[in-house]
Amino acid sequence: MNNENIELKITNLRKYYGSHKVLDNVNITVEKGKITGLLGRNGAGKSTLMKCILGLITQYDGIIELNGRNINEYNGGIVNYISSLVDVRFYEDMTAYENLNFLLLSQKLIRKERNRLIFEALNKVGLANNSNKKVSSFSFGMKQRLALAQVFLSDSDLLILDEPFVGLDPIGIEEMKKILNELVKKGKTILFSSHQLNEVEDLAECIVVIEHGCIKYEGTMNKLLNQDMKYRIYYKGQTLPIEIAYNTTDLQTILKNTCLSSAIEKIEVTENALLKILEENG
C-alpha cells in the first residue's frame, strides 16, 4: 500500500485494564478519502480503539500515526485535528443552538459566521426547528442527531464515529448514510464503528472486523463474503444436498453444464469467512 494514501495507521496496539487485555496487537490502516467500517459485537474493543486514536486513552503499547506523525506529536492534542462522535456530552440545561455555539466560541468567529455553521449542521441532521429547545427535553434519537451536528461543525479531514446510527429511525439512518457519502466525495475520511452488518456493508469501502480485541479481517466486504465460501446445492427430486467449496472445478462444471444446472432446485451459502468469524465468537 502506498504510504501517501494512508490517513491513519495503527501498529501493534495493545491495551490492558489490569490483567484484562482489551486490545491485542491491533494493526490497521485507514486510507484517505474512504469510509472504513469497524465491525464487531458490543464489547469487542471498538470504542476503546477509537478512544486510543483520539488520545482519550493514553496508556497503551503500540504506535498510532496520523498522516505519518505520531499522534502524541500534535500540538494541543490529536483530538483537535479530528471530528469525533465518541463519548459526546451535552449541557442539558442549554438549547441545541447554545451547545453548538459554545463549541465555536474558542474559534473567535464573528456571530454571523457562527450562526451559519450552526444552522448548516442542524439542517443536516434535521434539528433546525428544534434549535431553541433545551437538550434535556430531547429524545435519545434527537441527542444522537445533535451529537452528529457537533461532528459536522468541524472541518477536519478525518471523522471518527462510534456507532453513529444508534437511536436513528430507518429514514434517519438513510439520510445519515447519504451525508457521510457526500462528505467522502468532498475528500473527507471516515472511520465508523457498528455492530450491525448491514450498516457496514451498505456504507464502507473497507471493513475491519474486531472480536475480543483482535483484528479478524481487514479488506473489502466482497472479498470477505467470498473468502472460504461453501455452497449447498439441492437437486430436484433429491432429499440430500451436496456441498461444494466456492470456485472449485466441480462447482464451475455444474454451473456451466446446462443439464446439470437445470436440475438444481436451489443453492445456499453454508459457510464463508464472515460466518466463521461470527460463529467463532458467538
Side-chain angles (χ1 to χ4, degrees):
M1 184 179 295
N2 186 343
N3 288 335
E4 292 180 359
N5 292 327
I6 295 174
E7 180 81 34
L8 180 70
K9 185 175 182 180
I10 300 169
T11 307
N12 300 329
L13 183 64
R14 292 179 293 275
K15 172 62 184 173
Y16 289 80
Y17 286 115
S19 60
H20 177 56
K21 186 183 291 185
V22 183
L23 297 175
D24 186 6
N25 200 37
V26 171
N27 291 274
I28 63 173
T29 58
V30 177
E31 292 187 65
K32 288 183 179 180
K34 292 186 178 181
I35 300 178
T36 298
L38 183 61
L39 177 65
R41 301 173 190 274
N42 292 331
K46 303 188 301 295
S47 296
T48 300
L49 175 56
M50 290 184 161
K51 288 177 184 178
C52 290
I53 294 170
L54 292 166
L56 302 176
I57 293 175
T58 57
Q59 300 298 314
Y60 56 78
D61 296 319
I63 300 172
I64 303 175
E65 296 171 296
L66 179 63
N67 292 329
R69 289 175 58 193
N70 192 301
I71 63 169
N72 298 321
E73 298 174 0
Y74 281 80
N75 295 329
I78 192 64
V79 71
N80 295 316
Y81 298 83
I82 302 173
S83 297
S84 67
L85 176 70
V86 178
D87 272 359
V88 177
R89 298 288 185 269
F90 302 111
Y91 296 99
E92 298 273 339
D93 60 338
M94 292 169 58
T95 67
Y97 173 90
E98 289 168 340
N99 269 273
L100 299 186
N101 187 58
F102 181 77
L103 290 175
L104 292 177
L105 288 176
S106 63
Q107 297 186 25
K108 299 179 181 179
L109 301 170
I110 61 173
R111 186 179 182 85
K112 183 178 180 180
E113 181 63 10
R114 291 203 308 272
N115 283 344
R116 182 185 69 80
L117 292 173
I118 289 169
F119 280 100
E120 277 185 1
L122 289 174
N123 271 315
K124 276 184 179 179
V125 299
L127 286 180
N129 292 332
N130 302 100
S131 62
N132 292 319
K133 291 184 179 179
K134 288 189 175 181
V135 175
S136 58
S137 69
F138 280 14
S139 66
F140 180 80
M142 292 174 72
K143 288 180 179 179
Q144 184 73 349
R145 288 174 181 268
L146 183 58
L148 288 163
Q150 288 189 5
V151 173
F152 300 144
L153 276 183
S154 171
D155 194 35
S156 301
D157 290 330
L158 176 61
L159 282 67
I160 304 287
L161 310 175
D162 191 12
E163 299 280 0
F165 304 111
V166 170
L168 300 182
D169 57 32
I171 293 175
I173 290 173
E174 292 308 311
E175 290 173 347
M176 199 53 55
K177 288 179 181 177
K178 183 178 179 181
I179 290 171
L180 296 181
N181 277 319
E182 288 173 351
L183 288 171
V184 168
K185 289 178 182 177
K186 294 177 181 178
K188 304 296 184 183
T189 302
I190 298 172
L191 171 65
F192 80 97
S193 70
S194 177
H195 60 278
Q196 298 291 338
L197 176 61
N198 63 315
E199 292 174 357
V200 176
E201 187 175 9
D202 288 348
L203 193 60
E205 295 179 66
C206 177
I207 67 166
V208 177
V209 180
I210 183 169
E211 285 295 341
H212 302 305
C214 299
I215 301 302
K216 297 291 187 178
Y217 175 82
E218 181 180 8
T220 65
M221 179 61 77
N222 283 338
K223 182 180 176 183
L224 179 61
L225 293 176
N226 290 330
Q227 187 172 301
D228 300 330
M229 183 179 285
K230 287 184 179 179
Y231 287 106
R232 183 175 289 151
I233 302 178
Y234 292 83
Y235 285 97
K236 296 172 184 177
Q238 293 186 16
T239 305
L240 297 177
I242 65 168
E243 286 195 340
I244 297 178
Y246 175 71
N247 237 3
T248 62
T249 303
D250 288 344
L251 177 61
Q252 297 305 314
T253 300
I254 291 170
L255 295 178
K256 291 177 181 178
N257 186 300
T258 305
C259 293
L260 290 174
S261 61
S262 62
I264 295 174
E265 189 170 75
K266 69 175 180 177
I267 300 176
E268 62 182 29
V269 176
T270 61
E271 189 176 293
N272 61 28
L274 178 59
L275 291 174
K276 281 185 178 179
I277 290 168
L278 297 177
E279 287 169 0
E280 285 172 3
N281 298 282

